[in-house]
C-alpha cells in the first residue's frame, strides 16, 4: 500500500551510500597509506552490515517453520514472468539501466582523470552524480505511481542519459558538472524500475515472481557493463567506443521501457 514511499526510501539510502563511497574513496586511501588499506575500510562496513541480520535469523529460527496450507485449499495459479512479454521487457529495462549505472560507477572517475582532473576531484564528480540523485530517488517512485502512462517519464530519462553520454564523448572536462547532473537524472531509472515491479503486479505473489525474474535477468546483464567497458577502453585506448557501447545499451533500455510504460499486469499474461 506504500510502494512509492518504501521504494523511494530504499533507493535513496542506496544512493546516499554510493555518494559517500565515491567522495571518500581517495581520502580514505590517502589516510591509510594505500588503496589496499582503503579497500579494507569498505570490507569492514560490509561486515558491519551483517550484524543486524543476526538477531533476525535467530528470531526466525525460534519461530519455526510456517504452518502448511490446508490440504483442501486450492493451489494458487503459478506466475511465470519468463513466459510473458512484460517479464522480459522488465528484465531488459532493469538490466540495461543497471549496466549503464555500474559502468558509470566503475569508470566515470577514470574518464574524468583522463580528461585532466585530479583523482580526488574525479571522485567528487562521481559523488556529485549520486548526490544529485538522492532527492530524485525519493520522488521518482511516487511520481511513477501517479502517472497512468510512464512513456513521457521514460523518454525524459533516456534523453538525459543520451545528452550526458554525448557530452562525455565531446567535452568531458569543460561540461563535467552538466554531464554529472544529466547522469543523475538519467540514472533515476533505477528507483523507477523498482517501483514499476510493484505497479505491474496485482498480487503479492505476482510482485515476488516479477521481482525475482526482473532482477535475476537484470543483474546478469548488468554484470557485463563494467567488464565490457573496460575491455573496450583497454583495446581502443579511449572513450569513444565504450561510450558508443553504452549508447547501444541505452537504445535497448528505451525500447524495453516503451513496453513496460503502458499499464498492464503480469498475472494477466500467464
Amino acid at each position: 500500500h506504500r510502494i512509492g514511499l518504501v521504494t523511494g526510501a530504499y533507493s535513496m539510502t542506496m544512493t546516499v551510500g554510493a555518494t559517500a563511497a565515491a567522495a571518500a574513496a581517495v581520502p580514505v586511501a590517502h589516510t591509510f597509506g594505500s588503496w589496499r588499506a582503503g579497500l579494507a575500510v569498505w570490507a569492514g562496513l560490509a561486515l558491519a552490515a551483517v550484524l543486524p541480520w543476526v538477531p533476525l535469523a535467530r528470531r526466525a529460527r525460534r519461530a519455526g517453520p510456517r504452518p502448511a496450507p490446508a490440504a483442501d485449499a486450492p493451489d494458487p495459479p503459478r506466475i511465470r514472468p519468463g513466459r510473458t512479454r512484460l517479464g522480459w521487457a522488465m528484465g531488459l529495462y532493469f538490466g540495461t539501466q543497471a549496466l549503464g549505472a555500474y559502468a558509470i560507477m566503475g569508470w566515470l572517475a577514470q574518464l574524468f582523470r583522463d580528461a585532466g582532473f585530479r583523482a580526488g576531484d574525479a571522485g567528487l564528480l562521481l559523488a556529485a552524480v549520486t548526490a544529485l540523485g538522492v532527492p530524485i530517488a525519493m520522488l521518482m517512485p511516487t511520481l511513477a505511481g501517479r502517472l497512468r502512462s510512464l512513456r513521457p517519464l521514460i523518454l525524459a530519462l533516456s534523453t538525459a542519459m543520451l545528452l550526458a553520454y554525448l557530452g562525455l564523448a565531446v567535452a568531458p572536462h569543460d561540461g563535467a558538472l552538466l554531464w554529472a547532473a544529466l547522469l543523475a537524472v538519467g540514472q533515476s531509472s533505477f528507483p523507477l524500475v523498482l517501483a514499476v515491479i510493484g505497479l505491474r503486479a496485482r498480487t503479492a505473489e505476482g510482485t515476488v515472481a516479477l521481482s525475482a525474474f526482473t532482477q535475476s535477468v537484470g543483474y546478469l546483464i548488468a554484470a557485463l557493463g563494467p567488464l565490457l567497458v573496460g575491455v573496450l577502453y583497454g583495446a581502443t585506448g579511449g572513450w569513444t567506443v565504450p561510450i558508443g557501447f553504452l549508447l547501444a545499451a541505452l537504445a535497448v533500455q528505451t525500447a524495453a521501457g516503451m513496453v513496460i510504460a503502458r499499464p498492464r499486469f503480469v498475472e494477466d499474461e500467464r
Side-chain angles (χ1 to χ4, degrees):
H1 302 293
R2 295 290 186 273
I3 290 174
L5 176 64
V6 176
T7 304
Y10 166 72
S11 56
M12 186 184 71
T13 55
M14 292 184 67
T15 305
V16 169
T19 301
V26 173
V28 166
H30 287 169
T31 299
F32 288 93
S34 74
W35 65 266
R36 291 178 175 84
L39 192 61
V41 172
W42 309 117
L45 287 176
L47 178 62
V50 175
L51 299 179
W53 290 97
V54 175
L56 291 175
R58 290 179 175 175
R59 191 180 308 160
R61 187 177 302 174
R62 287 196 300 266
R66 294 181 179 180
D72 57 348
D75 292 333
R78 187 174 180 182
I79 302 168
R80 296 181 173 89
R83 296 185 179 181
T84 67
R85 186 181 180 215
L86 175 61
W88 280 105
M90 289 289 295
L92 283 174
Y93 189 84
F94 188 102
T96 47
Q97 65 81 26
L99 181 152
Y102 286 169
I104 289 298
M105 285 189 283
W107 287 104
L108 185 63
Q110 182 63 49
L111 187 153
F112 282 137
R113 290 191 68 184
D114 291 348
F117 288 97
R118 293 180 299 175
D121 293 336
L124 289 175
L125 283 167
L126 175 58
V129 174
T130 52
L132 291 171
V134 170
I136 303 174
M138 190 65 191
L139 296 174
M140 184 60 67
T142 301
L143 178 61
R146 293 178 178 177
L147 295 176
R148 175 164 179 78
S149 175
L150 300 177
R151 185 166 296 183
L153 187 56
I154 288 172
L155 288 175
L157 300 182
S158 293
T159 300
M161 290 298 293
L162 173 64
L163 295 175
Y165 285 151
L166 293 177
L168 289 172
V170 174
H173 189 280
D174 294 339
L177 288 176
L178 176 59
W179 315 141
L182 287 170
L183 285 172
V185 174
Q187 289 190 359
S188 59
S189 55
F190 174 65
L192 171 64
V193 73
L194 287 180
V196 173
I197 291 174
L199 295 173
R200 293 296 177 261
R202 296 183 184 276
T203 62
E205 293 78 9
T207 303
V208 170
L210 186 59
S211 177
F213 183 82
T214 296
Q215 297 191 64
S216 297
V217 171
Y219 282 122
L220 284 174
I221 297 171
L224 298 174
L227 173 63
L228 291 179
V229 167
V231 168
L232 294 172
Y233 173 65
T236 63
W239 290 104
T240 301
V241 175
I243 290 176
F245 165 68
L246 293 177
L247 285 169
L250 178 63
V252 176
Q253 174 186 330
T254 306
M258 294 298 97
V259 177
I260 69 173
R262 181 170 58 85
R264 59 206 298 183
F265 300 98
V266 68
E267 291 89 346
D268 299 338
E269 297 189 8
R270 291 196 303 268

